Amino acid sequence: MVKAVIFDCDGVLVDSEPMTFDLLQEEFTAHGLELTLHEMERIFIGGTIEGCAARAREMGASLPADWGDHYYAVLCERLRAGTPLMAGVPELLDRLDAEDISYAVGSNGRHVKMAATLGQHPEIRAKLEGRLFSGQEDVAHPKPAPDLYLHCAEALGVAPAECVVIEDSPAGARAAAAAGMRCLGYAPQGDHPALAATGAELFTDMAQVPALLGLGG
């Protein structure tokens, strides 16, 4: 029986990834690494900013040592200007509340980024009070390690096997699998072979989640 749902944040709860990758592309280009948005999503989606920076340096980007802090400051300013929720999120959280299923957020992003995006939606942010966890700041190892999702389960007081994770990245889906949790792979554009290859169960609309959780109706 499902007792808790653990959400990734970017690309699952909030539509922040277009702005994130636009800025990442600008920054990498300015520091000598030119990649298409498709290439960047394939290489960097689901990672930490420190991990992205390390990989970019390996590929030839001349990023300064404090680049991650600079990137986050600019990104959060842009995100605060307007980051919509993903379609169906409010209704899904209301349904989980009605079914007495607890939930939390496990993101590889920093808390300041979650504040910048979710903070624009006070009703949603209030539902998540005390249940937002960062792979960069709250555990020793971010996704794809299982630490973050295990931390979320412990905070909710729920066994890992009773948790379902909702993810949009292969790294996050691997973290869920390593934590012993079922993973629903959010793929709103349809086919997502890399996500499916992790064993995640793909779906395209948040309205499908209650049935996937066996809630009926």
Side-chain angles (χ1 to χ4, degrees):
M1 178 180 176
V2 177
K3 291 188 177 180
V5 175
I6 306 175
F7 295 89
D8 178 41
C9 189
D10 299 298
V12 172
L13 292 180
V14 292
D15 193 12
S16 54
E17 288 185 341
M19 279 185 280
T20 298
F21 279 99
D22 283 346
L23 178 58
L24 204 62
Q25 185 182 48
E26 290 175 27
E27 287 287 321
F28 286 175
T29 298
H31 291 88
L33 177 62
E34 295 191 16
L35 297 169
T36 67
L37 287 173
H38 177 73
E39 288 171 329
M40 296 188 65
E41 289 178 3
R42 177 177 56 82
I43 297 168
F44 299 112
I45 194 167
T48 65
I49 197 60
E50 288 78 7
C52 291
R55 181 74 177 105
R57 291 185 182 106
E58 291 173 359
M59 298 173 69
S62 56
L63 301 175
D66 63 349
W67 175 81
D69 290 337
H70 159 78
Y71 173 83
Y72 253 98
V74 176
L75 177 61
C76 288
E77 182 178 355
R78 292 191 184 185
L79 292 172
R80 289 188 195 101
T83 305
L85 294 170
M86 300 301 286
V89 165
E91 294 81 2
L92 176 55
L93 295 184
D94 286 346
R95 180 64 187 278
L96 295 178
D97 288 336
E99 299 285 348
D100 198 28
I101 294 175
S102 60
Y103 45 84
V105 177
S107 173
N108 264 356
R110 298 178 185 177
H111 282 285
V112 67
K113 185 179 181 185
M114 288 186 274
T117 57
L118 293 168
Q120 299 171 44
H121 308 281
E123 292 185 6
I124 301 301
R125 179 65 181 83
K127 287 176 177 286
L128 297 168
E129 187 66 38
R131 292 181 282 177
L132 296 167
F133 303 102
S134 166
Q136 295 188 57
E137 297 170 312
D138 296 322
V139 295
H141 305 288
K143 308 175 209 176
D147 303 35
L148 181 58
Y149 284 139
L150 292 173
H151 182 75
C152 290
E154 183 177 5
L156 294 173
V158 177
E162 296 172 322
C163 297
V164 172
V165 169
I166 299 182
E167 264 289 352
D168 71 326
S169 76
R174 290 196 296 273
M181 299 177 184
R182 180 186 175 200
C183 184
L184 304 181
Y186 184 42
Q189 304 305 316
D191 194 31
H192 195 321
L195 188 55
T198 67
E201 303 166 45
L202 299 194
F203 71 101
T204 60
D205 191 313
M206 290 294 174
Q208 297 171 298
V209 172
L212 290 168
L213 298 178
L215 302 181

